[in-house]
Amino acid sequence: MKGVSRRGFLVGSASLLVASAFRPERLEAGVLDRFFGRPAKLPSPITPTGEFYLTSIGSTPKVKIEDWSLRVTGLVRNPITLRYDDLLKRTNTSLISTLECIGNPIGGDSISTAKWEGVKLNAILDEAGVNPNAVDLVLRGADGYSDSFPAKRALQEEVLLVTKMNGGLLPPEHGFPARVIIPGIYGMKNVKWLTELELADHDYQGYWEKRGWSDEAIVKVRSRIDLPGDGDTIMGREYVIRGIAFGGLYGIRKVEVSTDGGATFREAQLEPPLSPYSWVFWSFPWTVPAVSRYTLVVRAMDTRGVRQQAESHSSYPDGSSGLHEVTVAVAT
Ligand SMILES: Nc1nc2c(c(=O)[nH]1)N[C@H]1C(S)=C(S)[C@@H](COP(=O)(O)O)O[C@H]1N2
Ligand SMILES: [Mo]
């Protein structure tokens, strides 16, 4: 079990290494803030591109756009090759969607939200004519990474072949020239720097699956307390506890907060989300009964009625579970 959870930790630490190598300020903004006790804060509903979490197995590949193309191959009637200009010309749809790394621990910040623009993947796949025997869509990136997800899912309306992020071209580190965004599926399958989409007749095992991570990689219902931060001291008796919750493809029906270490829970207020596939912001006005220390706990339920799992488990192999809690002191 030890070895297993260490592997779970690897994704997170790898992402930190990559983030720090490319944008030293990111490490400062995330990890160092915590070490130096800068105030906790609520994220923006749309994560500014420069603050969006980063994870990759290596460095950002340099793609020469004149030489780049995206090929659709395998079990299709007409294999097609898309050039960058074609893809930009076809960019006609947008989607706000939250992306989370499967290695994100409970309470972690490898989760962000962007407005993605691109073309529906099913438009491209329909043009290629997918053979009904196709099982998986295999996605290959210019960095040698690959992953796959079910061909049936690839034909659904909400899956995008993305060229733009938050109004600008996809930045190099987030997958320029093109990536895929699949709402409700952990980041690992949202392949960046795409060069090939292959329809395969079998269940393909991608980079992380070969290392034991989940093949389905469906995001789990989760919630996080952003305010107050763990270890904070609250001044006064009126405080609004705030945070986010995320239910992947299904959205969030309910968030509940405990101010007594999980013994009792009461319902928080939800803000309407920016999209069915984005995180939800919640708030919980709290009248503090006495000067003391408190353990605050949060839990969520998705729109299907599936509850956030209370039992803690590391992210390996299929995403972390458990309830986020913070301990605060109240002074007056
Ligand atoms: N080509 C390629 N795509 C990739 C990866 C990678 O290493 N190479 N990492 C995946 C993982 S594990 C995650 S969590 C997301 C992160 O996307 P972001 O860096 O834009 O946040 O990209 C996914 N797509
Ligand atoms: Mo990831």
Side-chain angles (χ1 to χ4, degrees):
M1 257 348 226
K2 273 240 169 66
V4 162
S5 55
R6 213 170 286 133
R7 289 173 78 183
F9 179 67
L10 269 180
V11 177
S13 50
S15 83
L16 277 183
L17 287 178
V18 170
S20 61
F22 283 82
R23 290 192 182 173
E25 73 276 12
R26 285 197 179 185
L27 188 63
E28 258 157 53
V31 172
L32 296 187
D33 272 11
R34 283 193 180 168
F35 279 128
F36 292 109
R38 264 167 242 164
K41 65 168 190 175
L42 199 62
S44 314
I46 300 267
T47 313
T49 302
E51 289 168 26
F52 200 100
Y53 86 89
L54 272 175
T55 305
S56 332
I57 54 164
S59 52
T60 298
K62 287 189 183 66
V63 175
K64 262 207 189 154
I65 207 63
E66 320 83 75
D67 302 339
W68 179 85
S69 67
L70 174 58
R71 295 181 306 132
V72 184
T73 64
L75 291 176
V76 290
R77 255 196 329 274
N78 328 297
I80 48 183
T81 301
L82 289 161
R83 312 289 312 192
Y84 188 55
D85 286 350
D86 307 334
L87 208 51
L88 271 189
K89 257 184 238 144
R90 296 182 64 154
T91 291
N92 60 357
T93 183
S94 80
L95 176 82
I96 292 173
S97 186
T98 295
L99 194 66
E100 181 183 14
C101 181
I102 195 167
N104 194 28
I106 291 298
D109 46 22
S110 292
I111 179 168
S112 305
T113 300
K115 181 182 165 201
W116 309 99
E117 285 173 75
V119 52
K120 286 184 178 170
L121 191 58
N122 64 13
I124 307 285
L125 295 180
D126 285 348
E127 215 174 283
V130 174
N131 182 313
N133 295 328
V135 172
D136 261 1
L137 176 67
V138 181
L139 308 105
R140 297 198 171 86
D143 59 342
Y145 184 88
S146 66
D147 209 331
S148 68
F149 63 100
K152 279 210 179 69
R153 181 73 210 275
L155 292 168
Q156 282 168 11
E157 288 295 306
E158 74 283 357
V159 181
L160 286 198
L161 180 57
V162 164
T163 54
K164 295 182 174 179
M165 178 181 185
N166 292 343
L169 292 179
L170 208 49
E173 62 276 29
H174 290 294
F176 177 86
R179 78 178 302 170
V180 75
I181 287 291
I182 319 149
I185 292 194
Y186 281 121
M188 61 187 273
K189 305 223 164 214
N190 293 242
V191 176
K192 306 191 277 190
W193 312 299
L194 286 173
T195 56
E196 187 182 1
L197 304 174
E198 185 196 349
L199 279 305
D201 64 0
H202 60 282
D203 177 16
Y204 178 88
Q205 300 293 300
Y207 184 91
W208 289 114
E209 284 93 315
K210 282 190 196 136
R211 289 156 179 83
W213 291 82
S214 167
D215 194 0
E216 254 122 50
I218 310 279
V219 303
K220 293 182 177 171
V221 194
R222 59 176 73 268
S223 51
R224 182 179 80 192
I225 299 171
D226 289 289
L227 289 173
D230 193 35
D232 280 2
T233 297
I234 292 171
M235 310 301 274
R237 293 296 179 83
E238 298 295 333
Y239 189 89
V240 183
I241 306 169
R242 292 179 189 277
I244 53 143
F246 181 47
L249 203 48
Y250 305 103
I252 292 293
R253 176 193 294 177
K254 184 162 90 170
V255 170
E256 293 168 301
V257 172
S258 169
T259 56
D260 55 12
T264 60
F265 281 86
R266 277 174 296 153
E267 214 166 320
Q269 292 157 19
L270 301 185
E271 268 176 43
L274 291 180
S275 117
Y277 312 123
S278 78
W279 54 19
V280 170
F281 285 71
W282 57 264
S283 61
F284 184 88
W286 179 33
T287 302
V288 184
V291 169
S292 181
R293 283 175 72 79
Y294 293 89
T295 297
L296 314 178
V297 189
V298 65
R299 68 182 188 198
M301 183 191 276
D302 76 11
T303 56
R304 298 171 301 173
V306 173
R307 276 184 185 282
Q308 181 170 353
Q309 287 167 246
E311 196 189 316
S312 311
H313 202 287
S314 74
S315 58
Y316 184 85
D318 60 356
S320 60
S321 65
L323 304 186
H324 187 217
E325 53 177 70
V326 302
T327 298
V328 294
V330 176
T332 314

